């Protein structure tokens, strides 16, 4: 029998409490954004990375810390409970259901790869995955947890423009 589902931890982002100065990186087509440190650098996503589903790759200014966002068109799971079971079966550690600013996600660690991740389903059978490395670095753990706690739904653009992964530097400069 499956264990009783525990209450899902609710996370609400407070930009004023973030341990860094940042700006919003929005994925308009996908309907969400995250608050990244201002000194982070967007990396080129190679064709190989794109074919593996990578939508965005960024690192800290010194290259020590990294975050990627990827998308899989077919998640082969229908619910976050299924997703959590799949990740647990795959040997991932600390698989946890979370609700971040209204988005239901599953967090996990892959200790062997020094990665922490958060995955969530898009309602069309696909799945988004944020990955953070090195997960074992205590300084980065705080930054990575802040970045993922900022995951927020955004309204889809009404004007039909196709701008994906553009940082909003104007808001940060004011």
């Amino acid at each position: 029998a499956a264990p009783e589902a525990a209450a899902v931890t609710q996370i609400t982002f407070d930009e004023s409490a973030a341990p860094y100065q940042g700006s919003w990186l929005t994925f308009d087509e996908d309907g969400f954004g995250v608050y990244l440190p201002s000194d982070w650098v967007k990396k080129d996503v190679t064709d190989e990375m794109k074919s593996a589903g990578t939508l965005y790759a960024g690192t800290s200014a010194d290259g020590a810390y990294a975050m990627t966002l990827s998308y899989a068109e077919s998640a082969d799971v229908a619910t976050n409970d299924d997703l959590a079971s799949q990740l647990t079966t795959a040997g991932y550690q600390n698989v946890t259901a979370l609700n971040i600013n209204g988005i239901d996600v599953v967090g996990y660690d892959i200790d062997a790869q020094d990665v922490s991740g958060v995955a969530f389903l898009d309602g069309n059978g696909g799945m988004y995955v944020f990955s953070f490395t090195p997960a074992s670095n205590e300084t980065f753990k705080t930054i990575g947890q802040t970045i993922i706690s900022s995951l927020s739904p955004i309204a889809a653009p009404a004007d039909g423009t196709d701008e994906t992964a553009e940082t909003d530097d104007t808001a940060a400069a004011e």
Side-chain angles (χ1 to χ4, degrees):
E4 286 297 309
V8 174
T9 300
Q10 303 279 330
I11 297 171
T12 304
F13 183 61
D14 176 3
E15 189 175 324
S16 66
Y20 53 78
Q21 290 294 313
S23 56
W24 285 92
L25 172 69
T26 58
F27 299 90
D28 296 337
E29 296 257 308
D30 306 294
F32 57 84
V34 290
Y35 188 69
L36 281 184
S38 296
D39 63 350
W40 272 46
V41 180
K42 180 179 177 180
K43 294 298 184 186
D44 287 332
V45 175
T46 64
D47 289 340
E48 186 179 340
M49 291 165 69
K50 279 185 185 136
S51 65
T54 303
L55 300 178
Y56 174 87
T59 67
S60 53
D62 61 5
Y65 313 134
M67 178 190 91
T68 58
L69 169 63
S70 53
Y71 179 75
E73 284 188 22
S74 175
D76 295 328
V77 291
T79 67
N80 278 1
D81 287 344
D82 294 343
L83 177 58
S85 296
Q86 190 180 64
L87 295 175
T88 301
T89 302
Y92 292 11
Q93 295 81 37
N94 305 315
V95 175
T96 311
L98 303 166
N99 180 289
I100 304 176
N101 304 303
I103 300 174
D104 288 315
V105 306
V106 177
Y108 58 87
D109 294 317
I110 311 172
D111 293 344
Q113 297 174 24
D114 203 9
V115 168
S116 282
V118 167
F120 58 100
L121 305 175
D122 70 355
N124 297 316
M127 176 176 67
Y128 292 97
V129 178
F130 281 94
S131 299
F132 299 89
T133 187
S136 60
N137 181 287
E138 288 302 321
T139 303
F140 184 48
K141 202 171 275 188
T142 303
I143 295 168
Q145 286 172 345
T146 302
I147 293 170
I148 201 58
S149 74
S150 74
L151 175 66
S152 300
I154 58 171
D159 62 0
T161 57
D162 179 14
E163 289 191 29
T164 306
E166 295 296 325
T167 55
D168 182 5
D169 293 325
T170 52
E174 288 170 10

